Amino acid sequence: MATVAISTYVFEPKDKVENFRGKQLLYIGWEDHLMYCAPLAFPFPGAMPFKAILEQVLPGCYGAHPDFARVDWSTVEWFKSGTSWHPDYDKSIAENGLGHKDVIRFRTPGLNGINGTCS
Amino acid sequence: MDMEASKKKLGLKERYNHLTRGLGWETTYQPMEKVFPYTRYEGIKIHDWDKWEDPFRLTMDAYWKYQGEKEKKLYAIIDAFAQNNGHLGVSDARYINTLKLFIQGVSPLEYMAHRGFAHVGRQFDGVSARIACQMQSVDELRHAQTQMHTVSNYNKYYNGMHSWRHWHDRVWYLSVPKSFFDDAMSAGPFEFVVAISFAFEYVLTNLLFVPFMSGAAYNGDMATVTFGFSAQSDESRHMTLGLEIIKFILEQDPGNVPIVQRWLDKWFWRGYKVLTLVSMMMDYMLPKKVMSWKEAWEIYGEQNGGALFNDLARYGIRKPKGWEQASIEKDHLSHQAWSTFYNYGAAALFHTWTPTDGEKDWLSAKYPDTFDKLYRPRFEHWEQQAKEGKRFYNGTLPMLCTTCQIPMFFTEPTDPTKICYRESDYKGDKYHFCSDHCKDIFDYEPEKYVQSWLPVHQIYQGNCFNPGVDPTVPGFDPLRAVLDYYHTNFGRDNFDFEGSEDQKNFARWHGDDAGGA
């Protein structure tokens, strides 16, 4: 039994994808830039182009960091659940194999936060 | 029939025995396990409930007498505080934010503890255990009330305290203490007493009450010191009682040991995660510091806690699994926590700020291995940005840990520059955690935590807007809509301390317009 309980104990998950009104959750973290204290959570439609994240979403989220303007997306290293991963920027989120509550991170070589302290 | 003349008055011990033994009975119309249905499914075996003894042997008359005296003293001081404008006597208006955190995050837990102990005070088979839990239930209600009454004086003058009960069930960071207690309340009665007696009364009381009350004393807040004292004698009784309960369970059956060990592993970690809020209170929020979080952890965690586990070793109990990690994190916890609230200061119902130069130097001295290297540059950057009129706010909601519900800001135990990511798959869905120990807790009882009410996800599901709000209209501002749903006084409860109404009022009350009034 998946919970110590007095009788049958089965519940619907609170965060199943159906509850997000046509969207799915995607978490994104920027490595070595802990001025942003934690990875960010986003509700995106699966059909949204991956490129739109880079061009339309992240600048509004991370733009206040002095490193962000120098990010070169062609040299960025990506990780999905911690392992190396290569998204196709021209394809959609779903076509890139990203499911509900997947977590991706990007590393920007040469950019290591404020004074190189990973902040 | 003539009444027989009563014998001499009963002594305290006899009265205690009558209360806890003489009034109990074995039921006959219904089997005991139907009258007490919750005390078997957790796997704990109790062979003789009479072995359970309240170390204080408190009877009801003695209990009312002691508590009544404490109440009289407390309310006399609260009255004096109100008449003498006690709200002006604190070191600095920044101090008030620790009280906000307390009334928002801690006092509701006192009330939940009252409810929880009332519940197990009915459910345990043994009378003496029931009586002790009932008394503790009344204590906890008293604590909740005295805290409300003490803080209500500040609420007349400062922001961020007006709707704490409403906030407790809704606000993103308050889901951390709330989910901690809900987790215990929804467990069986044995897990509840181990969880609360150990994690809340023992781990948290030492590291929460002591820093809060010394912080209050250092910063001129005599009202809070007084409710601290008023509660402290109850807390020592609860701690002793809590240890008694754990020892009683361990002595009853060797099969109970691994179950209790698992609960200690789990609840140490749950309690420690809630203490994250205390760490930043000590290091960043108190204008006059008492001691650093690191020092407090060394004294109250490592030394006192270490002694406790040495004491329990004879039952086959070892230190909780997360123990070493907590010690590794003591150099980082408060800095990372305060950075997080600084990030989300627009959505917090207390004020945030960057430390002053003197405070930064204090932090460097207390954290020689980490502050200058990792955290000072961050705060200095933010300070500079604020001076240029670009106070940094993180406008995007963070990823949360499914178990402790804290934003995923904790770093790897082996590398303070890398966020610690852990995940599990359960029935086709992914779940994310801030640490190995939060993941372990989930993996053991996933069906419980798939129900976690994670504030960020609830906001994205559209469940945190007022009725009638349409998130599809052009120009919709989701943050503002969520803060309306929280009943925030926008612009007064939230944002930076610099420029806040609290800051301006405090300066004005002291005849100093430097606050910019």
Side-chain angles (χ1 to χ4, degrees):
Chain A
M1 192 156 50
T3 291
V4 178
I6 200 160
S7 56
T8 312
Y9 190 97
V10 179
F11 284 86
E12 284 291 303
K14 269 260 183 308
D15 295 325
K16 56 182 183 178
V17 69
E18 292 83 352
N19 293 350
F20 288 85
R21 305 170 183 220
K23 295 179 179 170
Q24 61 183 59
L25 287 182
L26 181 65
Y27 307 108
I28 302 179
W30 185 8
E31 295 287 275
D32 310 326
H33 289 79
L34 298 183
M35 176 174 116
Y36 293 88
C37 57
L40 304 175
F42 298 95
F44 289 141
M48 183 169 128
F50 194 87
K51 198 189 287 175
I53 299 176
L54 313 184
E55 292 172 357
Q56 287 157 40
V57 178
L58 295 187
C61 302
Y62 288 126
H65 198 291
D67 278 353
F68 190 78
R70 293 191 283 146
V71 172
D72 173 1
W73 291 110
S74 66
T75 62
V76 157
E77 296 167 8
W78 286 94
F79 305 87
K80 183 181 166 192
S81 286
T83 53
S84 182
W85 176 69
H86 302 281
D88 183 337
Y89 294 167
D90 292 324
K91 288 187 171 161
S92 73
I93 289 172
E95 284 162 353
N96 267 297
L98 293 173
H100 181 49
K101 295 207 274 177
D102 263 332
V103 58
I104 56 175
R105 325 176 209 175
F106 62 97
R107 211 182 134 256
T108 47
L111 300 177
N112 300 314
I114 294 151
N115 302 342
T117 60
C118 296
S119 262
Chain B
M1 196 175 89
D2 289 339
M3 291 291 285
E4 205 180 316
S6 63
K7 289 176 189 156
K8 70 176 173 64
K9 263 180 130 180
L10 296 173
L12 198 66
K13 197 174 172 192
E14 288 169 299
R15 276 185 283 154
Y16 178 75
N17 281 336
H18 278 293
L19 179 65
T20 58
R21 305 291 188 275
L23 291 176
W25 71 92
E26 288 277 318
T27 57
T28 50
Y29 299 166
Q30 291 288 332
M32 283 290 271
E33 59 267 30
K34 282 184 80 174
V35 179
F36 298 101
Y38 299 142
T39 44
R40 283 154 194 86
Y41 77 89
E42 295 174 272
I44 293 291
K45 291 192 178 63
I46 302 297
H47 304 290
D48 183 3
W49 276 100
D50 277 345
K51 287 268 169 31
W52 198 88
E53 284 263 337
D54 169 3
F56 294 90
R57 294 197 180 79
L58 258 191
T59 57
M60 293 318 290
D61 52 343
Y63 177 78
W64 295 127
K65 186 166 167 283
Y66 294 144
Q67 300 302 73
E69 283 167 11
K70 282 190 262 181
E71 293 281 276
K72 274 186 214 147
K73 282 183 199 157
L74 173 71
Y75 284 98
I77 291 173
I78 291 181
D79 280 348
F81 176 91
Q83 284 165 23
N84 294 309
N85 288 324
H87 67 283
L88 297 178
V90 299
S91 56
D92 176 27
R94 287 186 301 162
Y95 166 74
I96 303 298
N97 294 286
T98 67
L99 293 178
K100 298 176 189 180
L101 198 54
F102 196 92
I103 193 75
Q104 294 170 10
V106 180
S107 302
L109 299 191
E110 303 274 16
Y111 187 74
M112 292 304 278
H114 149 67
R115 291 181 60 195
F117 277 101
H119 172 65
V120 294
R122 158 66 182 84
Q123 296 302 340
F124 279 133
D125 307 46
V127 186
S128 48
R130 289 210 299 275
I131 297 273
C133 289
Q134 286 161 18
M135 284 182 186
Q136 186 159 346
S137 173
V138 180
D139 286 347
E140 304 293 1
L141 184 58
R142 192 177 84 84
H143 295 175
Q145 278 182 343
T146 53
Q147 289 165 21
M148 286 174 220
H149 289 154
T150 309
V151 171
S152 71
N153 274 312
Y154 288 103
N155 178 46
K156 293 174 195 164
Y157 302 99
Y158 298 97
N159 295 315
M161 289 173 270
H162 50 87
S163 301
W164 55 273
R165 188 62 199 79
H166 181 83
W167 295 334
H168 187 62
D169 293 331
R170 292 166 179 79
V171 175
W172 59 278
Y173 57 94
L174 297 176
S175 82
V176 175
K178 178 185 164 67
S179 67
F180 165 91
F181 230 99
D182 286 355
D183 191 346
M185 293 278 283
S186 53
F190 287 108
E191 184 176 346
F192 175 82
V193 287
V194 170
I196 300 310
S197 301
F198 170 71
F200 194 60
E201 302 296 339
Y202 202 93
V203 178
L204 284 171
T205 296
N206 264 325
L207 276 147
L208 193 152
F209 261 83
V210 178
F212 252 109
M213 298 319 150
S214 338
Y218 269 54
N219 287 279
D221 175 11
M222 287 309 132
T224 300
V225 172
T226 309
F227 91 59
F229 278 136
S230 183
Q232 197 59 41
S233 54
D234 295 346
E235 301 294 359
S236 352
R237 180 154 41 81
H238 300 168
M239 282 166 68
T240 314
L241 217 59
L243 278 190
E244 255 347 274
I245 289 171
I246 290 174
K247 288 179 179 176
F248 166 74
I249 297 172
L250 292 170
E251 282 167 5
Q252 282 291 309
D253 196 280
N256 293 344
V257 176
I259 301 174
V260 171
Q261 180 71 61
R262 185 163 37 72
W263 288 338
L264 294 178
D265 286 344
K266 168 179 172 182
W267 287 99
F268 166 74
W269 195 250
R270 294 289 265 132
Y272 166 68
K273 286 281 152 175
V274 175
L275 283 173
T276 300
L277 295 172
V278 179
S279 74
M280 71 180 200
M281 188 274 290
M282 295 184 72
D283 285 347
Y284 285 88
M285 296 176 76
L286 288 176
K288 291 189 181 168
K289 322 276 187 216
V290 180
M291 57 167 74
S292 67
W293 162 255
K294 183 179 175 178
E295 289 165 323
W297 179 253
E298 285 166 353
I299 295 169
Y300 299 110
E302 290 170 15
Q303 289 176 26
N304 293 4
L308 165 71
F309 284 99
N310 289 340
D311 189 25
L312 292 175
R314 65 195 153 103
Y315 299 100
I317 291 291
R318 53 158 173 75
K319 284 196 182 103
K321 273 183 188 167
W323 190 264
E324 278 77 26
Q325 189 170 334
S327 283
I328 293 170
E329 289 176 358
K330 70 189 173 192
D331 275 312
H332 304 280
L333 191 65
S334 64
H335 318 298
Q336 296 177 353
W338 188 243
S339 293
T340 301
F341 279 95
Y342 191 87
N343 265 247
Y344 293 107
L349 302 174
F350 55 88
H351 299 301
T352 46
W353 55 86
T354 49
T356 63
D357 289 343
E359 287 168 342
K360 286 199 282 282
D361 291 342
W362 182 86
L363 290 163
S364 300
K366 295 294 181 186
Y367 296 94
D369 300 333
T370 54
F371 184 73
D372 284 351
K373 194 172 146 199
L374 294 166
Y375 304 108
R376 183 189 277 267
R378 190 182 302 176
F379 286 114
E380 285 178 345
H381 174 73
W382 283 337
E383 196 181 321
Q384 188 54 39
Q385 293 289 105
K387 272 187 196 146
E388 293 167 20
K390 297 182 284 184
R391 201 285 195 190
F392 170 69
Y393 289 107
N394 189 337
T396 315
L397 302 181
M399 177 182 187
L400 304 179
C401 171
T402 306
T403 303
C404 70
Q405 309 204 0
I406 299 177
M408 297 260 301
F409 68 74
F410 301 95
T411 48
E412 287 284 357
T414 52
D415 185 350
T417 67
K418 297 276 174 219
I419 297 283
C420 183
Y421 292 84
R422 300 290 183 271
E423 63 180 66
S424 294
D425 287 295
Y426 180 68
K427 289 187 176 172
D429 270 316
K430 276 197 157 56
Y431 295 90
H432 299 273
F433 312 97
C434 68
S435 56
D436 290 325
H437 308 292
C438 277
K439 174 176 156 62
D440 278 355
I441 293 168
F442 175 92
D443 286 346
Y444 189 75
E445 295 186 293
E447 204 70 37
K448 185 169 191 175
Y449 301 97
V450 300
Q451 303 167 69
S452 291
W453 194 92
L454 298 174
V456 168
H457 295 181
Q458 289 300 313
I459 291 169
Y460 284 150
Q461 287 178 30
N463 298 333
C464 298
F465 304 130
N466 282 325
V469 168
D470 179 5
T472 60
V473 295
F476 176 71
D477 178 353
L479 171 69
R480 186 59 196 264
V482 169
L483 289 171
D484 287 344
Y485 163 82
Y486 287 172
H487 294 182
T488 309
N489 280 336
F490 193 85
R492 298 165 87 194
D493 294 333
N494 54 343
F495 296 126
D496 202 291
F497 177 73
E498 195 58 41
S500 67
E501 191 176 53
D502 277 5
Q503 183 194 35
K504 288 175 187 162
N505 282 339
F506 193 79
R508 197 159 48 84
W509 295 331
H510 287 85
D512 168 14
D513 282 341

